[in-house]
């Protein structure tokens, strides 16, 4: 079952972590209006129902407490019903067709009809007429926790590798990050830039999912490298988000270095294939807070 691009990576979290995040995501969904609800609703269902669907014909008493909270938040979120393909998602978790509509689901859950607010009429943009496509201030910035010893070791290996391959700023950035700990916030903790033969590359080492954390107002841990590949004559770029851990970091770095003088924003297939073979997850950024998961074709080696 697919829960949409916003849920990428979330269903891979341990069940206990997902259930802790679900109520916060539900509150965020209730608060948003317009297209900001697109993706939040299906991601919310993914968090709460990835391990257990609703049995056919069952009543609301079979729901876990978090599952019930999630569905209540959903019926209280008018924008979810206007933009998200929520009926299909509700059917996918096992609800009967009659319960894939807002009013019947609210009645089934015991939510009073007076609690069902309507969506705002001006939900396609703010009062100034600006759309949400370039709204860089949307969401709330959160501060990542201090890295533990294992994370610091991996960041150090990332920096040492890039510094040894003529990437600029990697060692200086990490040194600045370490000097500023406890004084000011510096994120990400490490970053490096490489001016290759055909493209300019930038690799940042992140400890959490910035976009999702901003949406929820709480830190969502996700250790990854964000690799941007840009044209040398413009600001156009493509970006890959590569999940890393102790078992795959060295292989991921080796793949990046191997392709650093060959990759371009329009020809990154060979790099992507090597990264898919090295890392547990590789995502291609397709827009603000939108990502597509890359994987090997069925039957490939």
């Amino acid at each position: 079952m697919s829960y949409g691009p916003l849920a990428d990576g979330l269903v891979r979290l341990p069940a206990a972590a997902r259930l802790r995040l679900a109520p916060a995501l539900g509150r965020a969904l209730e608060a948003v209006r317009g297209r900001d609800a697109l993706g939040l609703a299906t991601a919310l269902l993914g968090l709460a129902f990835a391990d257990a669907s609703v049995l056919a014909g069952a009543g609301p008493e079979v729901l876990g407490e978090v599952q019930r909270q999630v569905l209540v938040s959903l019926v209280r979120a008018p924008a979810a019903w206007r933009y998200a393909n929520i009926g299909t998602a509700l059917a996918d978790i096992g609800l009967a067709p009659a319960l894939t509509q807002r009013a019947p689901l609210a009645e089934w859950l015991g939510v009073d009809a007076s609690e069902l607010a309507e969506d705002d009429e001006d939900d396609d943009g703010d009062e100034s007429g600006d759309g949400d496509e370039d709204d860089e201030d949307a969401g709330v910035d959160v501060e990542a926790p201090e890295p533990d010893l294992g994370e610091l070791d991996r960041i150090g290996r990332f920096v040492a590798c890039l510094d040894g391959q003529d990437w600029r700023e990697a060692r200086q950035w990490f040194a600045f990050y370490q000097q500023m700990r406890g004084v000011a916030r510096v994120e990400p903790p490490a970053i490096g830039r490489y001016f290759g033969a055909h493209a300019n590359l930038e690799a940042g080492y992140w400890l959490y999912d910035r976009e999702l954390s901003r949406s929820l107002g709480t830190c969502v841990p996700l250790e990854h490298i964000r690799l941007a590949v840009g044209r040398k004559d413009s600001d156009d770029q493509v970006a890959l988000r590569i999940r890393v851990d102790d078992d795959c970091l060295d292989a991921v770095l080796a793949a990046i270095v191997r392709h650093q003088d060959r990759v371009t924003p329009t020809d990154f297939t060979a790099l992507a294939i090597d990264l898919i073979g090295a890392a547990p997850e590789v995502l291609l950024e397709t827009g603000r807070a939108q990502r597509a998961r890359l994987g090997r074709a069925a039957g490939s080696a």
Side-chain angles (χ1 to χ4, degrees):
M1 187 187 306
S2 173
Y3 296 102
L6 188 61
D8 281 341
L10 287 181
V11 294
R12 285 182 164 78
L13 292 173
R18 281 189 275 109
L19 293 179
R20 284 197 301 270
L21 280 173
L25 184 57
R27 291 191 294 272
L29 180 62
E30 291 182 49
V32 301
R33 291 293 184 266
R35 297 186 185 278
D36 286 339
L38 188 64
L40 277 176
T42 48
L44 181 62
L45 293 175
L47 284 174
F49 291 92
D51 298 318
S53 297
V54 180
L55 295 176
E61 66 278 358
V62 305
L63 299 173
E65 179 59 28
V66 171
Q67 291 178 327
R68 186 181 186 283
Q69 289 179 31
V70 160
L71 292 177
V72 168
S73 288
L74 186 62
V75 299
R76 287 175 175 165
W81 300 87
R82 181 172 178 180
Y83 289 106
N85 186 14
I86 201 61
T88 301
L90 289 170
D92 285 344
I93 66 169
L95 290 180
L99 298 178
T100 61
Q101 301 296 317
R102 190 183 183 199
L105 180 58
E107 183 179 0
W108 186 70
L109 292 167
V111 177
D112 193 280
S114 64
E115 299 181 41
L116 305 185
E118 296 301 319
D119 199 12
D120 295 341
E121 293 181 0
D122 61 348
D123 52 14
D124 286 329
D126 59 25
E127 294 180 356
S128 67
D130 295 331
D132 59 2
E133 292 180 359
D134 298 316
D135 186 9
E136 293 296 334
D137 294 326
V140 178
D141 262 325
V142 298
E143 186 170 356
E146 288 293 323
D148 60 27
L149 292 178
E151 290 165 341
L152 279 174
D153 175 71
R154 286 187 289 276
I155 296 169
R157 285 155 55 193
F158 168 84
V159 169
C161 175
L162 296 189
D163 188 65
Q165 296 294 330
D166 297 325
W167 287 59
R168 301 183 184 181
E169 303 177 32
R171 192 168 295 281
Q172 295 91 330
W173 183 288
F174 187 43
F176 177 67
Y177 168 80
Q178 292 175 306
Q179 291 168 0
M180 297 302 290
R181 288 176 67 187
V183 178
R185 199 168 106 188
V186 177
E187 293 173 354
I191 197 166
R193 295 182 175 90
Y194 184 79
F195 299 97
H198 305 292
N200 298 329
L201 282 65
E202 179 180 283
Y205 200 103
W206 291 84
L207 298 175
Y208 70 109
D209 186 316
R210 181 174 183 269
E211 289 78 14
L212 187 55
S213 297
R214 283 169 58 84
S215 297
L216 299 179
T218 186
C219 186
V220 179
L222 184 70
E223 203 167 338
H224 67 279
I225 294 172
R226 182 185 183 275
L227 177 66
V229 181
R231 290 171 56 94
K232 298 188 76 68
D233 58 353
S234 75
D235 292 332
D236 294 342
Q237 66 174 27
V238 63
L240 300 169
R241 194 183 76 173
I242 311 118
R243 190 169 181 175
V244 292
D245 54 32
D246 238 358
D247 295 330
C248 73
L249 175 59
D250 295 333
V252 166
L253 291 171
I256 292 172
V257 168
R258 187 158 53 246
H259 293 277
Q260 64 187 20
D261 283 311
R262 300 197 294 261
V263 67
T264 73
T266 57
D267 184 7
F268 55 93
T269 303
L271 169 63
I273 290 173
D274 275 5
L275 291 173
I276 291 165
E281 180 181 76
V282 180
L283 303 179
L284 171 66
E285 291 187 3
T286 57
R288 185 170 67 87
Q290 301 292 313
R291 306 182 187 98
R293 180 176 287 110
L294 304 182
R296 290 186 178 276
S300 63

